[in-house]
Amino acid sequence: MTNIYVNLNVPRGEVDPKIFGHFCEHAFGNIYGGYYDPGNPNADADGFRLDVIEALKEVAPTIMRYPGGNFVSNYHWEDGIGPKENRKKVFEYAWLTEESNQFGTADFIELCRRVGAEPLICVNMGTGTIEEAMHWIEYCNGTGDTYYANLRRSHGYEEPFGVKYWGLGNESYGPWQMNNYTAEEYADKAFQFAKALKWVDPTIKLVACGYEQITDWNVTVVKKLWQMIDYISAHHYSCVWGPFNQENYLETMCIGDYMEKLHKMTCSAITAGMNDTASSIKVAWDEWNFNGWALENAEDDKAYTLQNALVTALILNMFIRNGETIGMANYSTFVNITGALSVTEQGIVRRAQFPVFELLRHQTGKQIYQADVVGESYSVKLPQSQKIGREKISIDLLELFSGNDGDNHRSSYVDAAVTGDEDGTIYVSLVNKHPEEDMEVSLHFFWEKEVTSLEGYTIYAEEIDAANTADQPDTIKVQKLDSAATKENRCDIVLKKHSINVLKFKK
């Protein structure tokens, strides 16, 4: 039996809806052949894949990050504007490909507008200049009678794009990046970029490049930039580019716990860098995924199983629980590569992760409530001395994570996040991690009046390795649950093995 104690008396923070964001990059069929595929029967006159757009609307992304990623560190935005027949094809240094520049700034803004997402643009701090970045903001947001504002108008966009969120480079600590830096070098350069960009538009919000695994990097960056920035980034790919073994199921069920540890380390670095106990700077998990992009069978939809969906739900629950300090998150990527939506010339497949975003995006409230889980747990031995990033740096990532139990980490079989809306609706997101057993759960609500049950939803398949494919597209999907009765502010329910669940109540 697992007991979950929920205090509904005082919300302890708010969920920023920008945690339900996504990421797009000029790489491996994400944009070309993904969002944008001129000539395809499913594309419109502007080249956008209508089936992809409609699927994206189902998960209602709140923010989209562009154009990278590694790609941005040698991207020159003026190559991707104006008449498409005049755009030059260039050698692309991040992924060693040819870039046609047929998809550029205005196309990205159009994509965001079609799906209702805020744009987040990352500037080139690798081969780019401060002036180039300033011109990009002027092109997007300028309202005056200046060259780049008028250039936008000449391209058919009279009104400014109003891009509020801007990123200061990408993974600048990494040797896989075009022109990587030490923390001090990055902080000095980012400071110069930040002040110049805010000269162009003082209303913008800036995301600094953080390093969630090294607190020294973040302390150095925050010390220099704290008056300039609104967010500091954190990236995580659990397997392939990360320390976890996908073949060890229970180990992967600890990924949300591990990311929560990294998140708290990042928050500590922010307050240390500010030399204060409070901070308005939030963490932007602006790249995250269960798998790194170098997954051997990345194009095989069968590789994206219920296990992947469970980890995705655990990570989103972690973001929800830490909503006071997380300002945005961007799933990397949503389309193709290791994303939630597989796109081919013939059509699309909503992979196992897709219904997780569909469910939690629409069944998460604004206010966060404390939920304490007491019940059966398990212990797992975690790996040490794993390669991270692009197999360039070796660090004992999990040394601190193992706690006081030697090399083992203990985790509850049931994971919970509880939110609510002002109308009194309560959303309880529950994940049963157990590979073989259903779990009996009792929810105890602390509230002065009676809490009543409304409805429930589940994502479940009998086998952990179940997947959605073109032949079987609905093996993993959101299903309705029978409502669970409440009595004296207690609700008893049995969660199926390896399942994702959301229960709705009214207080």
Side-chain angles (χ1 to χ4, degrees):
M1 169 69 74
T2 295
N3 290 286
I4 302 175
Y5 302 95
V6 182
N7 182 359
L8 297 178
N9 291 289
V10 181
R12 61 175 179 80
E14 291 188 355
V15 178
D16 194 313
K18 294 194 297 299
I19 65 169
F20 296 104
H22 298 299
F23 170 62
C24 45
E25 180 166 357
H26 291 245
F28 309 116
N30 175 240
I31 289 176
Y32 301 115
Y35 298 106
Y36 182 77
D37 195 8
N40 186 283
N42 293 310
D44 65 10
D46 295 321
F48 287 100
R49 283 285 295 262
L50 296 179
D51 49 354
V52 174
I53 297 294
E54 289 308 307
L56 206 56
K57 288 180 180 178
E58 292 173 22
V59 299
T62 48
I63 190 166
M64 300 277 283
R65 180 175 181 243
Y66 173 85
N70 292 354
F71 176 85
V72 76
S73 292
N74 71 97
Y75 178 63
H76 299 287
W77 68 272
E78 289 190 63
D79 292 342
I81 60 173
K84 299 202 175 189
E85 63 272 17
N86 296 338
R87 300 184 189 180
K88 61 184 179 182
K89 181 184 288 188
V90 299
F91 179 72
E92 199 279 299
Y93 295 91
W95 306 111
L96 307 182
T97 62
E98 293 181 353
E99 170 56 47
S100 70
N101 284 304
Q102 291 300 289
F103 189 98
T105 301
D107 306 285
F108 171 64
I109 298 300
E110 176 64 18
L111 172 64
C112 290
R113 287 176 174 171
R114 290 195 184 199
V115 302
E118 286 272 5
L120 161 61
I121 292 179
C122 189
V123 302
N124 178 357
M125 283 187 59
T127 62
T129 66
I130 293 174
E131 191 174 35
E132 181 181 22
M134 294 172 73
H135 293 163
W136 203 354
I137 292 183
E138 182 188 335
Y139 182 87
C140 289
N141 296 353
T143 58
D145 184 20
T146 58
Y147 176 81
Y148 284 97
N150 287 331
L151 183 62
R152 183 197 68 242
R153 295 183 181 104
S154 74
H155 294 155
Y157 307 100
E158 179 64 31
E159 296 301 317
F161 296 149
V163 180
K164 182 188 297 184
Y165 301 97
W166 294 83
L168 298 169
N170 175 76
E171 295 180 2
S172 296
Y173 46 80
W176 56 86
Q177 203 71 210
M178 177 69 75
N179 287 339
N180 60 293
Y181 310 107
T182 66
E184 292 77 11
E185 290 169 340
Y186 172 78
D188 287 343
K189 187 168 186 177
F191 182 86
Q192 301 304 326
F193 266 76
K195 71 178 183 182
L197 300 189
K198 291 216 169 188
W199 284 340
V200 180
D201 184 348
T203 69
I204 61 173
K205 306 291 185 181
L206 294 177
V207 184
C209 171
Y211 194 5
E212 70 290 342
Q213 294 151 9
I214 303 294
T215 54
D216 285 355
W217 171 284
N218 290 337
V219 170
T220 299
V221 170
V222 171
K223 274 185 178 181
K224 185 76 175 182
L225 294 171
W226 69 270
Q227 291 179 298
M228 299 283 191
I229 61 174
D230 303 275
Y231 307 89
I232 189 162
S233 70
H235 291 179
H236 179 75
Y237 298 91
S238 309
C239 304
V240 184
W241 283 346
F244 287 86
N245 176 12
Q246 188 172 348
E247 302 302 315
N248 188 326
Y249 171 83
L250 284 177
E251 181 183 303
T252 63
M253 292 301 106
C254 295
I255 287 170
D257 298 345
Y258 172 60
M259 288 182 66
E260 193 156 19
K261 177 78 172 182
L262 294 180
H263 176 71
K264 290 177 179 177
M265 289 169 58
T266 303
C267 291
S268 297
I270 291 171
T271 54
M274 293 187 67
N275 194 33
D276 202 344
T277 58
S279 169
S280 60
I281 298 171
K282 292 194 173 186
V283 181
W285 284 91
D286 58 15
E287 284 190 37
W288 70 274
N289 197 311
F290 178 46
N291 285 307
W293 296 3
L295 184 68
E296 184 177 352
N297 51 348
E299 295 182 3
D300 184 358
D301 294 330
K302 292 180 181 179
Y304 305 91
T305 65
L306 181 59
Q307 178 189 9
N308 192 314
L310 289 162
V311 173
T312 301
L314 290 169
I315 294 171
L316 287 172
N317 271 3
M318 187 279 283
F319 291 160
I320 292 167
R321 284 194 301 269
N322 292 276
E324 312 101 304
T325 51
I326 297 179
M328 71 174 73
N330 304 79
Y331 187 69
S332 172
T333 61
F334 193 78
V335 171
N336 283 334
I337 311 179
T338 55
L341 192 69
S342 171
V343 181
T344 66
E345 290 185 8
Q346 291 72 37
I348 62 175
V349 172
R350 293 166 176 82
R351 289 172 174 164
Q353 313 96 290
F354 188 97
V356 179
F357 289 103
E358 181 185 13
L359 175 61
L360 292 180
R361 172 68 181 97
H362 299 293
Q363 304 297 334
T364 298
K366 183 177 182 181
Q367 299 167 323
I368 308 164
Y369 290 100
Q370 183 67 34
D372 295 307
V373 179
V374 179
E376 190 176 353
S377 62
Y378 66 96
S379 182
V380 63
K381 185 176 179 64
L382 295 173
Q384 297 288 323
S385 301
Q386 294 294 313
K387 299 282 187 179
I388 65 157
R390 308 301 184 267
E391 298 183 355
K392 299 292 187 182
I393 302 174
S394 181
I395 299 172
D396 285 340
L397 289 181
L398 300 168
E399 182 179 352
L400 296 176
F401 186 54
S402 58
N404 297 320
D405 192 18
D407 291 334
N408 294 335
H409 170 69
R410 183 158 290 279
S411 185
S412 298
Y413 275 116
V414 176
D415 184 85
V418 180
T419 57
D421 284 330
E422 292 179 355
D423 66 358
T425 303
I426 302 298
Y427 306 85
V428 180
S429 175
L430 301 169
V431 179
N432 178 6
K433 308 176 190 178
H434 204 295
E436 298 172 345
E437 296 181 11
D438 297 348
M439 300 293 289
E440 295 181 2
V441 173
S442 285
L443 290 164
H444 306 266
F445 295 105
F446 293 91
W447 179 243
E448 59 186 7
K449 298 179 182 178
E450 190 72 16
V451 174
T452 57
S453 178
L454 295 178
E455 59 189 2
Y457 307 89
T458 189
I459 298 172
Y460 170 76
E462 182 65 22
E463 303 298 330
I464 293 173
D465 61 358
N468 291 342
T469 65
D471 294 332
Q472 295 180 309
D474 296 318
T475 302
I476 300 172
K477 62 183 179 180
V478 177
Q479 304 173 64
K480 288 292 291 289
L481 275 178
D482 294 334
S483 61
T486 56
K487 183 178 181 180
E488 297 179 349
N489 282 354
R490 172 173 169 166
C491 176
D492 295 330
I493 189 170
V494 176
L495 303 179
K496 285 181 179 281
K497 62 182 180 180
H498 52 250
S499 65
I500 301 157
N501 311 271
V502 173
L503 306 179
K504 290 176 67 174
F505 300 88
K506 194 81 169 181
K507 71 173 184 176

